[in-house]
Amino acid sequence: MFTTKLSQSRAWGELPTLNLMHRHIGAIAVLILISLLSSLSGTPDRHTISNCWEGLLWGLADPVIGLDCLIGIIAIGLLSSVFVRGAAIAGSFVLAAILGIVIHLFQLNFPGTEIALAISTIVFGTMLMMPNQPNFIVLALVGVSAGLFQGYADAESIIGAGIMPLIAYILGITLTLFAVVMSAREIGGAMGMGEINRILPSKISIAGFAFCAIGIVFLRNSLI
């Protein structure tokens, strides 16, 4: 009887976690759909921002419009869930993206931004397909590099904007990046990526293969 009650208690305890994971997966699936529809409909990557409202809206939207950028955010979140202190990797990625925006505002040249983003997506996908956990330092360095290039690429739309629209834009992009990367981290933890054996589930490996394929397509398009 005690065993039965204990099992029921565990089942009830796991139910909210499962529901929360499904919500995170649903939210990310919607973002991927938005990204695909934006790409198919020819939504312009470059746009002008003239006021705070536009700055906030485009800040929220820019990280998820580009499929290669969105995939990179999701991948870094999934990979960070392997480590107990993986939130530091996710946070470094977000901070690096903000730094990338600042670098672009100071008109420092980052050549081959699209190529770098595509390569980082391929690297993330490869890490997800690996049977063992990735190296913490390597993941952190790749995450920071990807964040820098993503922030640099996104900042194209705010060149020449006023200080208040700029602040609103940075706030919006920070919220989106943080929400997506932490949601992906929660999904990775719920799927068992954070267990003691650190073995990535087969579903994550399949996602890694898909991420690699997307990265290769974007790399090919960037080189043409």
Side-chain angles (χ1 to χ4, degrees):
M1 183 176 179
F2 176 76
T3 303
T4 302
K5 289 183 178 180
L6 183 60
S7 299
Q8 291 176 347
S9 176
R10 288 179 178 175
W12 281 108
E14 292 175 356
L15 186 60
T17 302
L18 187 61
N19 290 336
L20 182 60
M21 186 187 73
H22 287 162
R23 291 176 185 175
H24 286 309
I25 293 175
I28 289 179
V30 170
L31 291 177
I32 293 176
L33 179 60
I34 291 173
S35 180
L36 288 172
L37 291 176
S38 299
S39 300
L40 293 175
S41 62
T43 300
D45 292 331
R46 298 183 179 181
H47 35 264
T48 57
I49 296 174
S50 58
N51 54 59
C52 292
W53 179 244
E54 290 180 353
L56 180 61
L57 288 181
W58 280 114
L60 293 170
D62 273 349
V64 301
I65 288 180
L67 184 59
D68 54 340
C69 293
L70 176 58
I71 291 301
I73 302 169
I74 296 172
I76 193 70
L78 290 173
L79 289 166
S80 69
S81 67
V82 174
F83 304 97
V84 175
R85 298 180 180 179
I89 296 178
S92 298
F93 172 81
V94 176
L95 291 176
I98 298 173
L99 179 59
I101 295 175
V102 174
I103 290 174
H104 200 151
L105 291 176
F106 280 97
Q107 300 182 351
L108 299 177
N109 188 29
F110 263 17
T113 303
E114 294 181 356
I115 295 175
L117 286 173
I119 292 175
S120 64
T121 301
I122 296 172
V123 172
F124 286 142
T126 303
M127 287 182 175
L128 286 170
M129 289 190 294
M130 293 172 62
N132 299 317
Q133 71 177 53
N135 182 273
F136 184 91
I137 297 177
V138 172
L139 178 58
L141 290 176
V142 176
V144 169
S145 299
L148 283 173
F149 281 103
Q150 176 159 337
Y152 186 89
D154 289 338
E156 183 69 31
S157 60
I158 59 171
I159 298 298
I163 185 65
M164 293 308 295
L166 173 61
I167 293 174
Y169 181 85
I170 293 177
L171 175 61
I173 204 170
T174 301
L175 289 174
T176 296
L177 287 175
F178 185 80
V180 176
V181 75
M182 294 310 293
S183 293
R185 176 173 163 78
E186 289 292 331
I187 292 171
M191 294 183 70
M193 293 180 65
E195 293 179 355
I196 296 176
N197 57 14
R198 313 290 185 175
I199 302 299
L200 303 183
S202 60
K203 293 181 180 179
I204 298 297
S205 298
I206 294 173
F209 179 80
F211 291 175
C212 277
I214 293 172
I216 291 172
V217 171
F218 277 98
L219 180 61
R220 177 179 175 275
N221 293 338
S222 300
L223 294 175
I224 294 178

